[in-house]
Amino acid sequence: RPTEADIAAHIAARELYVLREEGEIRGVFAFILGEDPTYRVIEQGAWLSDAPYGTIHAVASDGQIHGLLSQIVAYCEQTTKHLRIDTHHDNHTKQRLIEGAGFRRCGVIHGAFDGGERIAYDCIAHI
């Protein structure tokens, strides 16, 4: 899990975004362009491409909005057509959402916060 300091760093770097609906914050996510050190080493597979990419991290929702991840992906694809994301092995709901948003499972990485194994996904949007 990201710490308060991690969230503050995302805010300071202008990487944290919010999704508002009817004036209320319904979701947040971090969007980082460029190489993510966590993704340098992938095990049990390979990335679809080594081209420059953006990474989606720290997705959270208040549960009141449907299709949050699809909206996040659509927003991020306005900046780059190559996206990466990851999740824990036991988060089956997020795995389905990620795969439903067009990502392909590529292998395993080790998380930046705890070093634990995470399933890594890659997505290259059609131009």
Side-chain angles (χ1 to χ4, degrees):
R1 285 190 174 193
T3 64
E4 189 173 322
D6 295 321
I7 298 299
H10 284 310
I11 292 169
R14 302 180 61 95
E15 300 168 338
L16 192 71
Y17 296 81
V18 299
L19 180 68
R20 291 178 186 255
E21 187 177 81
E22 298 178 9
E24 298 291 326
I25 294 176
R26 298 295 182 196
V28 298
F29 67 98
F31 179 50
I32 303 159
L33 287 170
E35 183 182 10
D36 184 325
T38 306
Y39 291 175
R40 283 187 188 142
V41 176
I42 187 167
E43 300 170 351
Q44 302 172 33
W47 297 114
L48 300 177
S49 171
D50 290 326
Y53 60 91
T55 306
I56 300 170
H57 281 301
V59 176
S61 166
D62 69 356
Q64 300 299 309
I65 190 164
H66 298 286
L68 176 67
L69 185 59
S70 294
Q71 291 182 48
I72 291 169
V73 170
Y75 176 83
C76 295
E77 284 179 342
Q78 293 175 29
T79 303
T80 181
K81 298 297 181 189
H82 186 193
L83 299 171
R84 291 185 177 166
I85 194 169
D86 63 81
T87 192
H88 294 283
H89 283 281
D90 59 352
N91 194 338
H92 301 288
T93 300
K94 190 169 179 189
Q95 291 170 37
R96 281 192 304 277
L97 292 171
I98 290 170
E99 291 169 10
F103 287 83
R104 290 192 44 205
R105 188 181 295 221
C106 291
V108 172
I109 62 164
H110 292 275
F113 300 111
D114 61 5
E117 284 191 357
R118 299 174 67 83
I119 300 170
Y121 295 87
D122 213 356
C123 179
I124 303 171
H126 294 85
I127 299 173

